[in-house]
Amino acid sequence: MDQPAGRASFGTLLRQWRRLRGLSQLDLSLKAGVSTRHLSWLEGDRAAPSRAMAIRLATQLALPMRDGNALLAAAGYAPMWAARPLAHPALAPARAALQRLLEAHEPAPALAVDRLWNLVAHNRMVTLLLAPVAQAEPALLEPPANMLRLTLHPRGLAPMIEGFPAWRAQVLQRLARQVGASGDPALRELHAELSALPLPEGVTAAAPHADDAVIVPLVLATPLGRMSFLTTVTVFGAPHDVTRAELAVETLLPADEATARMLREALAAAA
């Protein structure tokens, strides 16, 4: 099968994803209902898959929509899922619904990010929390503002975070799991960049722990006072295109009544 220069073949992609999912050829052949011999031929690019077979294998490997499209393209087929930017006119209803969802979380800060943790939408409370960053290092907020970089950068939110080493370790571990599950080179590059960031002045690395904490709260020293949050990440059900499939909403829920009260007062003042 001829491939454009620089593009991996169908067999190469299939083999990479099978190994990433920790499956043997026998495992995948049983899941997909295909003989191990045929699967071996597909991985060796000695046989060309039908479109239905490519989709079946992508489904059994639980490929994200973006990677499912890439597998189809490598097999010589048109993509199955649309991949329009969020600014596309056709996604205007989705953008409006997303903004309503974020505003409905107020006074809790809520924001939406793409697959690389770039900020795509937020409510008013996020602007309030990021005000110190806007003063100290406005370049960090220039689009596309990456929320993980904003959090861990020594001139971002990092100096405001109580127990920063534990929070940093949790963020990097979560990102490492994403890299392991997706094999995404852009996420791997982001992980390497964030891991190399220096700690804020006066902060020393914590000693490693044998076990991760069940919940690591985000505690911020804000201009309004000490705020404690529990974070949740929500994804959209049954998305019909790549962009919506890759969106995630992160909500900072107040972990105590003092934080809830400060948020209510801040929202009232903003209104």
Side-chain angles (χ1 to χ4, degrees):
M1 183 187 304
D2 294 332
Q3 295 292 329
R7 177 185 292 179
S9 69
F10 176 86
T12 298
L13 288 178
L14 179 59
R15 183 169 57 255
Q16 288 174 349
W17 277 106
R18 176 179 60 76
R19 290 174 175 172
L20 191 63
R21 294 294 187 247
L23 298 174
S24 67
Q25 283 189 343
L26 177 59
D27 294 332
L28 182 55
S29 66
L30 291 173
K31 287 169 65 71
V34 61
S35 70
T36 53
R37 180 180 180 183
H38 186 54
L39 184 61
S40 176
W41 281 40
L42 290 174
E43 288 193 358
D45 291 314
R46 289 173 290 171
S50 66
R51 180 178 174 84
M53 175 58 69
I55 293 173
R56 187 192 311 175
L57 290 169
T59 301
Q60 294 304 321
L61 289 166
L63 265 59
M65 288 183 179
R66 179 182 299 274
D67 299 292
N69 280 348
L71 192 68
L72 283 168
Y77 300 110
M80 185 174 181
W81 297 279
R84 299 164 294 194
L86 192 59
H88 193 282
L91 294 184
R95 292 196 306 274
L98 175 61
Q99 193 60 44
R100 286 195 299 271
L101 173 64
L102 298 176
E103 291 169 359
H105 281 86
E106 293 180 349
L111 54 97
V113 294
D114 63 16
R115 69 185 179 93
L116 298 179
W117 292 88
N118 292 323
L119 183 65
V120 298
H122 59 84
N123 64 17
R124 291 174 292 179
M125 308 310 291
V126 172
T127 302
L128 177 71
L129 289 182
L130 294 181
V133 180
Q135 296 178 356
E137 194 69 26
L140 287 173
L141 294 174
E142 293 179 0
N146 186 275
M147 290 309 299
L148 298 189
R149 186 181 296 114
L150 270 168
T151 302
L152 301 187
H153 197 283
R155 290 184 61 80
L157 288 176
M160 299 168 55
I161 299 176
E162 184 178 301
F164 176 73
W167 181 259
R168 176 180 182 272
Q170 177 182 253
V171 170
L172 291 176
Q173 288 166 4
R174 178 170 62 178
L175 185 56
R177 287 193 295 270
Q178 283 186 272
V179 172
S182 67
D184 191 319
L187 283 175
R188 184 177 293 108
E189 183 178 338
L190 178 63
H191 185 273
E193 175 200 337
L194 299 182
S195 298
L197 285 175
L199 297 174
E201 186 176 351
V203 174
T204 57
H209 296 283
D211 298 306
D212 295 335
V214 175
I215 297 178
V216 179
L218 174 62
V219 183
L220 294 173
T222 77
L224 298 176
R226 182 180 182 273
M227 292 187 174
S228 182
F229 298 98
L230 300 178
T231 62
T232 64
V233 177
T234 306
V235 296
F236 293 91
H240 298 292
D241 58 52
V242 173
T243 300
R244 279 182 285 181
E246 293 177 344
L247 286 178
V249 172
E250 183 161 19
T251 307
L252 278 61
L253 301 172
D256 53 46
E257 179 52 36
T259 300
R261 174 177 48 77
M262 283 186 280
L263 290 174
R264 290 193 299 268
E265 292 173 352
L267 180 62

